[in-house]
């Protein structure tokens, strides 16, 4: 009996390693047959956009300074334009007032000129008129107001106002032959045109 039991135990022991080897081969074959599941990849996070860094106090101060400098330059240019415009308006106002005042005295000049052209037997009286005329001319010249040359000059519509026309062979074409009323200029501005007669 003991011998039989030993045989059966030995047979079982031989079979057990075979079964274990078969069992171990089966899972390996199943693993080889079954496709391996790839590990799921987590979705990559998109890179976050870099947020602009807050300006430093120095940058803020520099921006404020640049804005103030721009404002200062604008105000300076505006003031320079205002100053030039004011100076020009002041000069024009002074010139205009001077011309208006001179125009009021020009009839006096015309009357003195006519009196001198008429002549007078009283030498003292005539000398007094001449002195008055000379003094008036000096005052006008001090104001930069000068008479316009007319007689014998070519007719120029910028300075002359032709009121008569004659034919005179002794004179050239468009030459002023006579002046009825003296014209005046102040600098380059005509304050009164010369009233003239033009020949040919």
């Amino acid at each position: 009996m003991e011998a039989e039991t030993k045989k059966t135990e030995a047979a079982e022991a031989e079979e057990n390693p075979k079964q274990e080897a078969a069992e171990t081969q089966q899972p390996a074959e199943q693993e080889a047959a079954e496709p391996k599941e790839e590990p799921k990849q987590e979705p990559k996070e998109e890179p976050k956009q870099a947020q602009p860094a807050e300006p430093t106090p120095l940058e803020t101060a520099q921006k404020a300074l640049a804005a103030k400098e721009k404002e200062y330059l604008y105000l300076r240019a505006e003031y320079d334009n205002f100053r030039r415009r004011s100076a020009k308006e002041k000069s024009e106002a002074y010139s205009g007032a001077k011309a208006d005042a001179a125009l009021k005295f020009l009839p006096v000049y015309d009357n003195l000129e006519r009196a001198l052209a008429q002549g007078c037997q009283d030498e003292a009286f005539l000398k007094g008129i001449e002195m008055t005329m000379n003094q008036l001319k000096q005052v006008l010249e001090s104001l930069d107001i000068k008479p316009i040359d007319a007689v014998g000059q070519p007719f120029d519509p910028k300075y002359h106002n032709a009121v008569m026309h004659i034919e005179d062979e002794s004179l050239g074409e468009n030459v002023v032959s006579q002046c009825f009323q003296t014209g005046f200029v102040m600098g380059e501005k005509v304050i009164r045109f010369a009233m003239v007669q033009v020949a040919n």
Side-chain angles (χ1 to χ4, degrees), residues 30-74:
Q30 286 177 356
E31 287 177 4
E34 291 179 1
K36 290 183 180 178
E37 292 183 1
E38 294 181 359
K40 292 183 179 179
Q41 294 181 352
E42 295 181 358
K44 292 181 181 179
E45 293 182 358
E46 294 181 0
K48 294 182 179 178
Q49 292 181 351
Q51 294 181 351
E54 292 184 0
T56 62
L58 177 62
E59 291 175 346
T60 305
Q62 286 175 342
K63 286 181 181 178
L65 178 63
K68 289 293 181 184
E69 186 178 1
K70 187 177 180 181
E71 184 180 354
Y72 165 73
L73 291 174
Y74 174 77

Side-chain angles (χ1 to χ4, degrees), residues 129-168:
I129 294 174
E130 287 176 353
M131 290 175 65
T132 305
M133 184 64 157
N134 291 333
Q135 189 174 12
L136 181 58
K137 285 180 178 179
Q138 289 176 1
V139 170
L140 293 174
E141 285 179 6
S142 68
L143 296 172
D144 195 27
I145 297 171
K146 298 176 183 178
I148 296 172
D149 291 333
V151 178
Q153 299 294 323
F155 174 75
D156 189 348
K158 292 180 181 178
Y159 302 105
H160 305 141
N161 179 21
V163 293
M164 288 185 67
H165 181 267
I166 62 166
E167 295 293 335
D168 190 343

